[in-house]
């Protein structure tokens, strides 16, 4: 299914399966990642550009993909993209702080997911964000006993 909101972008589409499973996640943090990725796509995609938000179901994750046909990321700067305060040379320095992708990756990883990208300068970028379908198992505090151990 695809919905197009042409008044927001020249060509914006949202693709998703008929249904997705309910999963335990923090909606505010997940929205922060999505908002950052979509905001970046909008900032760095020209007027008449295309931005797509796509959700797909994988065996162990929901895969979120944000693609654009914007300015792309210079090859020699890709390795720095998730660093604090980093801004690529081919973007307007007055927009943003260089913290969005750093924070987004930290949120993704703390949720048990991953955030990565593929990009070609002058052609566009695709960001991928996974949301695990299973709840993250937190390690037990030192000295804690599991219920099963305590019953033996």
């Amino acid at each position: 299914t695809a919905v197009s909101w042409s008044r927001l972008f020249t060509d914006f589409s949202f693709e998703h399966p008929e249904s997705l499973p309910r999963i335990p996640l923090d909606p505010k943090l997940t929205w922060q990642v999505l908002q950052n990725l979509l905001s970046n796509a909008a900032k760095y995609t020209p007027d008449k550009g295309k931005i797509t938000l796509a959700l797909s179901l994988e065996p162990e994750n929901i895969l979120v993909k944000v693609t654009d046909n914007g300015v792309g990321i210079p090859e020699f700067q890709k390795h720095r993209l998730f660093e604090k305060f980093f801004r690529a040379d081919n973007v307007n320095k007055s927009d943003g702080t260089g913290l969005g992708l750093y924070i987004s990756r930290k949120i993704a990883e703390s949720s048990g997911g991953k955030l990565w990208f593929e990009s070609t300068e002058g052609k566009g970028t695709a960001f991928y964000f996974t949301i695990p379908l299973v709840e993250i198992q937190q390690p037990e505090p030192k000295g804690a006993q599991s219920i099963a151990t305590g019953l033996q």
Side-chain angles (χ1 to χ4, degrees):
T1 309
V3 178
S4 192
W5 290 293
S6 57
R7 76 186 185 100
L8 294 176
F9 302 104
T10 300
D11 189 1
F12 176 79
S13 60
F14 177 42
E15 303 166 358
H16 58 87
E18 286 289 320
S19 66
L20 289 168
R22 290 184 153 273
I23 53 174
L25 57 79
D26 184 323
K28 288 180 182 176
L29 291 177
T30 303
W31 175 244
Q32 187 172 351
V33 174
L34 286 173
Q35 183 179 13
N36 182 62
L37 297 178
L38 290 169
S39 172
N40 283 351
K43 276 193 263 188
Y44 306 124
T45 299
D47 287 347
K48 309 233 183 238
K50 179 174 176 59
I51 297 171
T52 302
L53 169 61
L55 306 179
S56 59
L57 189 57
E58 297 184 324
E60 296 180 10
N61 300 295
I62 292 175
L63 177 66
V64 180
K65 182 178 176 183
V66 176
T67 58
D68 66 59
N69 63 347
V71 299
I73 299 151
E75 188 68 37
F76 75 98
Q77 294 186 313
K78 288 180 179 180
H79 70 283
R80 300 192 56 212
L81 200 64
F82 294 105
E83 291 178 11
K84 280 185 192 178
F85 307 113
F86 177 74
R87 305 279 317 217
D89 288 342
N90 64 341
V91 299
N92 181 348
K93 295 294 184 190
S94 64
D95 294 327
T97 61
L99 286 172
L101 290 173
Y102 172 81
I103 292 169
S104 293
R105 180 175 256 184
K106 293 295 183 189
I107 291 170
E109 291 173 350
S110 72
S111 303
K114 294 180 181 165
L115 175 63
W116 72 99
F117 71 97
E118 296 171 348
S119 184
T120 303
E121 189 173 9
K123 297 205 181 264
T125 302
F127 276 92
Y128 304 89
F129 168 41
T130 58
I131 303 169
L133 292 175
V134 294
E135 198 166 349
I136 302 167
Q137 297 296 317
Q138 296 296 327
E140 290 186 29
K142 287 186 177 185
Q145 288 185 323
S146 70
I147 294 173
T149 305
L151 296 175
Q152 293 176 354

